């Protein structure tokens, strides 16, 4: 979709549909009030009659209203005035886009930035509108033989702004780049494991560098990883017929400045290995590459925006399968860092591929390293599907990520990474065990990674709960945490 800015008042604006807010208890927004006046009280009449209650998510399409230059007015119920939250704002936008898409309108102008959301600017509302709009229009079709399509899809939305056109246009562009990045992350996540293999992800990285001159991609194959001594990563892929890939995407936007390095778990299917997972819901382990998908999405967003920053995306990619040659419980492997690892559970494979990728990231002399991984079921127990888990060896970096989460409304919550937990990883036979027992599973997973990140500033995002929606009709990737990661980079640039 396309996004513009307009400074015309609602009754003079010429578009297919004007979108205005009405609150509960007959409260009109400024635009609704203007239209009410120019239509001789039509809006108030509909409220009095009970056609509009103003409930959040309610929409009512009016045709050929008196005094308007546009043929349609869409009224959006916005709840109680001055009580709109970020979540209800997104609900309002989603229902508006659905109503627009179901109507005959190709173009629309939104006056919904008038809604007060506490401590949120018009720019914020603009980019959230774009993100929510694009999200509600996303339909997965890649592996369906017939694709659903709306007959007269909504093609452009304009935002009303009197005085800050430039800022609003920029916010819309940022929102669109984030939404596109989320779309890429969703698409990669939703593809089945027999399509989205490590080799497929490697091809996607190549095509990102074809699409953007600012991105260069290198792919290491198993032989090259062998030479680097990545015994931990390779032990996971040994149990699979699909060869592992180590993908590096280099986005150069700021000369020789130290890069931000993202490391994304790219486990294209996690059957658990010899410590096989139960059958129910195992299909969802195709989503075990969503960390890597968020790295792809973030790099595409910043390349689209030409951001002045250097970013490197590293994606260790493999399957985790039960094969005759797979890791067995009790096996000991040697990581690239030289530390030996006792694999007590082959299903704790994410940390085994991440540790070698984290060691590899040292060679880029990173400003910070942030890994993003669907790492533990335990984080879903702790935080559910709303909040990403965050652990870090540096509080300033943790604070920056928490702030980026709040700013973008793609939020994380920090868990401790205190040394108290480290002893849970003690092994009688190796330097470290790959599991830490049943207590604090997300923390001990991060403790494992922390043994490989001592040389740099590092944070870990556990997105097992937030990267996709489970089960039933809503099953699908969310595109998170692309908004948080892009916001982190935008904030970093602002601080320079
Ligand atoms: N990919 C899973 C984590 C996961 C589980 C994500 C469920 C989303 C939903 C990871 O590889 C895994 O299997 N972790 C184990 C670790 C355990 C063996 C210590 C887990 O969480 O059960
Ligand atoms: Mn696993
Ligand atoms: Zn996994």
């Amino acid at each position: 979709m396309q996004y513009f800015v307009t400074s015309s008042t609602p009754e003079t604006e010429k578009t297919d549909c004007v979108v205005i807010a009405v609150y509960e208890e007959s409260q009109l927004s400024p635009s609704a009030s203007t239209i009410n006046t120019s239509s001789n009280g039509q809006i108030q009449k509909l409220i009095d009659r009970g056609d509009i209650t103003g409930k959040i998510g309610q929409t009512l399409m009016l045709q050929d209203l008196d005094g308007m230059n546009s043929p349609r007015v869409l009224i959006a119920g916005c709840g109680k005035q001055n009580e709109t939250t970020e979540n209800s704002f997104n609900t309002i936008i989603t229902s508006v886009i659905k109503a627009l898409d179901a109507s005959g309108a190709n173009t629309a102008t939104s006056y919904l930035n008038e809604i007060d959301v506490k401590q949120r600017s018009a720019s914020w509302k603009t980019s959230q509108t774009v993100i929510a709009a694009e999200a509600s229009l996303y339909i997965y079709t890649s592996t369906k033989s017939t694709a659903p399509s709306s007959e007269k899809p909504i093609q452009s939305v304009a935002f009303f702004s009197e005085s800050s056109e430039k800022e609003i246009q920029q916010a819309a562009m940022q929102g669109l780049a984030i939404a596109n990045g989320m779309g890429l992350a969703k698409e990669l996540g939703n593809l089945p494991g027999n399509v989205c293999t490590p080799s497929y992800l490697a091809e996607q990285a190549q095509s990102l560098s074809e699409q953007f001159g600012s991105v260069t991609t290198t792919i290491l194959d198993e032989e090259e990883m062998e030479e680097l001594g990545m015994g931990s990563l390779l032990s996971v892929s040994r149990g699979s017929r699909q060869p592992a890939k180590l993908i590096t995407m280099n986005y150069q936007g700021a000369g020789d400045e130290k890069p931000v390095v993202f490391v994304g778990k790219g486990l294209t299917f996690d059957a658990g290995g010899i410590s096989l997972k139960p059958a129910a819901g195992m299909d969802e382990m195709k989503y075990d590459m969503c960390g890597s998908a968020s790295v792809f999405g973030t790099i595409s967003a910043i390349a689209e925006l030409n951001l002045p920053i250097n970013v490197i995306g590293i994606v260790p990619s493999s399957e985790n399968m039960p094969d005759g040659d797979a890791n067995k419980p009790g096996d000991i492997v040697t990581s690239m860092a030289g530390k030996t690892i006792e694999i007590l559970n082959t299903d704790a494979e994410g940390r085994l591929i991440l540790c070698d990728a984290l060691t590899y990231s040292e060679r880029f002399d990173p400003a910070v390293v942030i890994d993003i991984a669907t790492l533990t079921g335990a984080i879903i127990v702790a935080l559910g599907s709303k909040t990403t888990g965050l652990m870090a060896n540096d509080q300033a970096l943790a604070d920056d990520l928490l702030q980026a989460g709040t700013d973008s409304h793609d939020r994380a919550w920090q868990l401790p990474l205190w040394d108290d937990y480290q002893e849970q990883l003690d092994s009688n036979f190796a330097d470290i065990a790959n599991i830490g027992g049943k207590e604090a599973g997300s923390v001990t997973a991060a403790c494992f990674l922390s043994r490989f990140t001592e040389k740099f500033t590092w944070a870990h995002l556990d997105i097992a709960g937030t990267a996709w929606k489970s089960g039933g009709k809503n099953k699908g990737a969310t595109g998170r945490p692309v908004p948080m990661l892009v916001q982190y980079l935008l904030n970093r640039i602002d601080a320079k």
Side-chain angles (χ1 to χ4, degrees), residues 403-432:
Q403 186 62 47
T406 304
D407 292 347
S408 59
H409 200 58
D410 176 12
R411 291 177 292 183
W413 194 256
Q414 191 177 4
L415 280 77
L417 194 67
W418 295 320
D419 58 5
D420 309 48
Y421 295 94
Q422 291 284 355
E423 63 183 16
Q424 286 180 244
L425 295 173
D426 288 351
S427 159
N428 286 352
F429 306 107
D431 299 341
I432 181 175

Side-chain angles (χ1 to χ4, degrees), residues 179-444:
N180 289 340
M182 292 172 83
L184 173 60
K186 284 186 191 179
E187 192 62 18
L188 293 173
N190 287 333
L191 284 170
N194 62 332
V195 173
C196 184
T197 58
S199 305
Y200 182 88
L201 285 181
E203 282 165 29
Q204 293 309 300
Q206 304 280 22
S207 53
L208 264 187
S209 56
E210 279 154 30
Q211 198 182 338
F212 300 106
S214 49
V215 179
T216 49
T217 296
T218 22
I219 314 290
L220 300 192
D221 61 18
E222 292 190 342
E223 212 174 301
E224 291 163 300
M225 288 187 257
E226 187 82 52
E227 275 161 34
L228 289 168
M230 296 188 163
S232 184
L233 192 164
L234 288 170
S235 79
V236 175
S237 85
R238 234 185 32 241
S240 147
R241 304 264 174 111
Q242 292 291 336
K245 302 284 171 191
L246 184 71
I247 303 162
T248 303
M249 291 164 280
N250 187 334
Y251 170 81
Q252 192 116 20
D256 56 7
E257 199 178 277
K258 285 188 178 192
V260 170
V261 175
F262 294 125
V263 178
K265 176 178 174 183
L267 221 294
T268 59
F269 190 77
D270 180 12
I274 296 299
S275 312
L276 193 65
K277 285 185 182 294
M282 205 209 271
D283 65 289
E284 293 189 9
M285 281 299 116
K286 70 176 183 179
Y287 290 115
D288 212 14
M289 37 56 70
C290 281
S292 73
S294 76
V295 174
F296 281 96
T298 300
I299 293 204
S300 108
I302 62 172
E304 189 176 318
L305 292 170
N306 262 311
L307 292 189
I309 193 160
N310 291 337
V311 175
I312 289 177
I314 300 176
V315 171
S317 186
S318 169
E319 286 183 338
N320 186 26
M321 299 286 277
D323 177 82
D325 198 26
N327 280 325
K328 302 172 293 297
D331 282 2
I332 294 176
V333 298
T334 303
S335 62
M336 181 181 177
K339 291 186 179 166
T340 59
I341 303 164
E342 185 182 17
I343 302 174
L344 290 171
N345 188 320
T346 67
D347 198 10
E349 85 299 335
R351 58 200 81 179
L352 295 176
I353 67 168
L354 285 168
C355 69
D356 282 342
L358 287 165
T359 302
Y360 182 72
S361 72
E362 282 170 20
R363 67 185 48 206
F364 300 103
D365 190 19
V368 300
V369 177
I370 299 163
D371 79 75
I372 309 101
T374 48
L375 203 61
T376 64
I379 202 70
I380 312 174
V381 178
L383 300 175
S385 58
K386 316 281 184 192
T387 308
T388 293
L390 163 67
M391 284 142 271
N393 68 7
D394 179 90
Q395 194 52 40
L397 175 58
D399 289 340
D400 287 349
L401 284 165
L402 291 170
Q403 186 62 47
T406 304
D407 292 347
S408 59
H409 200 58
D410 176 12
R411 291 177 292 183
W413 194 256
Q414 191 177 4
L415 280 77
L417 194 67
W418 295 320
D419 58 5
D420 309 48
Y421 295 94
Q422 291 284 355
E423 63 183 16
Q424 286 180 244
L425 295 173
D426 288 351
S427 159
N428 286 352
F429 306 107
D431 299 341
I432 181 175
N434 82 325
I435 55 171
K438 60 179 191 297
E439 291 185 0
S442 305
V443 174
T444 54

